[in-house]
Amino acid sequence: MNTSLLKEELHQLIEKGDESFVKNFYKLAKLYLQKSEMDKMIMDGEADIKAGRIYSSEEMKDFIDSWN
């Protein structure tokens, strides 16, 4: 089933669902998107480490101190 058909079916399920279903589906969707974003951040961080794009603790301290 292609994405547009899945989206259409999801819309139909949401329309048929009661309040509890909609709230739980919303929570599930939000958690999935948050996890996906976190996974991407981890992968980006690992790529930075492998490429040597890292900062020393002193550089980080100076960077944080510059916020004030």
Side-chain angles (χ1 to χ4, degrees):
M1 190 178 284
N2 67 35
T3 304
S4 61
L5 290 175
L6 287 172
K7 286 180 179 182
E8 185 178 320
E9 187 169 343
L10 284 171
H11 284 285
Q12 292 170 6
L13 290 171
I14 290 168
E15 286 300 318
K16 291 178 185 177
D18 62 7
E19 181 178 356
S20 176
F21 173 82
V22 173
K23 285 182 178 182
N24 285 317
F25 183 79
Y26 175 80
K27 287 178 190 176
L28 179 66
K30 290 291 283 188
L31 285 171
Y32 174 82
L33 293 174
Q34 289 170 349
K35 183 185 178 306
S36 294
E37 183 63 27
M38 294 298 288
D39 289 348
K40 183 185 179 315
M41 290 171 66
I42 291 169
M43 287 176 31
D44 290 347
E46 289 174 347
D48 286 342
I49 291 168
K50 286 179 184 174
R53 294 184 297 264
I54 58 174
Y55 297 98
S56 70
S57 58
E58 188 62 33
E59 289 172 314
M60 288 305 300
K61 181 186 175 305
D62 293 342
F63 179 71
I64 293 169
D65 287 344
S66 73
W67 295 346
N68 297 327

